[in-house]
Amino acid sequence: MKFFIDTANLQEIQEAQNLGVLDGVTTNPSLMAKEGISGKDNIIAHYKAICAIVDGDVSAEVISTDYEGMIAEGEILAALDEKIVVKVPMIKDGIRAIRYFSDKGIKTNCTLVFSAGQALLAAKAGATYVSPFVGRLDDISFDGTELIEQIRTIYDNYGFETEILAASIRHPVHILKCAEIGADVMTGPLSAILALLKHPLTDIGLEKFMKDMAGKWN
Ligand code: G3P
């Protein structure tokens, strides 16, 4: 299972990269705005800075919603770095744009996916990744991981190569559940990744080991 970090914050991306378990980054317009990034030149510079930190794929989302606009923006973004994945919303023009990018060999991430039907369409259009939003489904009292399970079954039935990128991950249990189901990728905040480290018995055990061997190295 690949671990992506869902942020546009350079310090958090660097911290996850330093941990040695980071496979990529996802961003979205809200995450970019949170970092105070606006204007074409600043947006481009920020994506370049992210690509300089990580080794894997970096999802950069278009902010147009019409076909021509998405193509124009996506081509600029894709040309920035080979790590860039053009993130496109699950709308009619978005599906057309994904087909266009896919035919040109440009990687895509179909975002804002909340149903298996949408995921099936994204795969048919040739999306590299599909992003079902687990946490936002939980927010409306639907178990978001059930959607991951449904998409896994459908993709496996037909051998679709589109990778299931479980998005809107909020906590470590989401990560574990998605891993059990067989999501290809999860994207979440640094806090969810670091929470996987935690166990009270680890802390208690380590404290005892340190106490028992204190001063015995030299
Ligand atoms: O990047 C898309 C998704 O991961 C957003 O997550 O926490 O805003 O629902 P969240």
Side-chain angles (χ1 to χ4, degrees), residues 118-192:
Q118 291 177 326
L120 180 56
L121 262 183
K124 291 284 291 175
T128 314
Y129 298 101
V130 65
S131 287
F133 280 28
V134 174
R136 290 193 197 182
L137 282 169
D138 284 4
D139 290 344
I140 57 157
S141 303
F142 180 92
D143 181 353
T145 60
E146 280 181 16
L147 175 60
I148 303 294
E149 220 161 346
Q150 206 181 358
I151 299 170
R152 181 76 283 158
T153 301
I154 292 169
Y155 282 10
D156 289 350
N157 280 348
Y158 298 99
F160 284 119
E161 287 178 7
T162 299
E163 292 190 48
I164 302 173
L165 195 170
S168 187
I169 291 292
R170 305 271 173 77
H171 50 71
V173 177
H174 273 157
I175 300 177
L176 291 180
K177 187 72 188 150
C178 288
E180 280 176 11
I181 294 165
D184 300 289
V185 190
M186 79 81 201
T187 191
L190 183 61
S191 60

Side-chain angles (χ1 to χ4, degrees), residues 6-7 26-31 61 87 109 111-112 114 131-137 139 165-170 187-189:
D6 198 26
T7 183
T26 53
T27 62
N28 64 37
S30 304
L31 293 172
E61 189 160 341
K87 200 170 177 188
N109 176 354
T111 189
L112 290 166
F114 294 94
S131 287
F133 280 28
V134 174
R136 290 193 197 182
L137 282 169
D139 290 344
L165 195 170
S168 187
I169 291 292
R170 305 271 173 77
T187 191

Side-chain angles (χ1 to χ4, degrees), residues 100-116:
Y100 171 88
F101 291 129
S102 172
D103 289 346
K104 285 195 74 176
I106 292 172
K107 292 177 284 186
T108 54
N109 176 354
C110 184
T111 189
L112 290 166
V113 166
F114 294 94
S115 78

Side-chain angles (χ1 to χ4, degrees), residues 29 33 38 48 52 57 69 95 117 123 177 202:
S38 68
K48 283 184 174 173
D57 284 350
I95 288 297
K177 187 72 188 150
T202 304

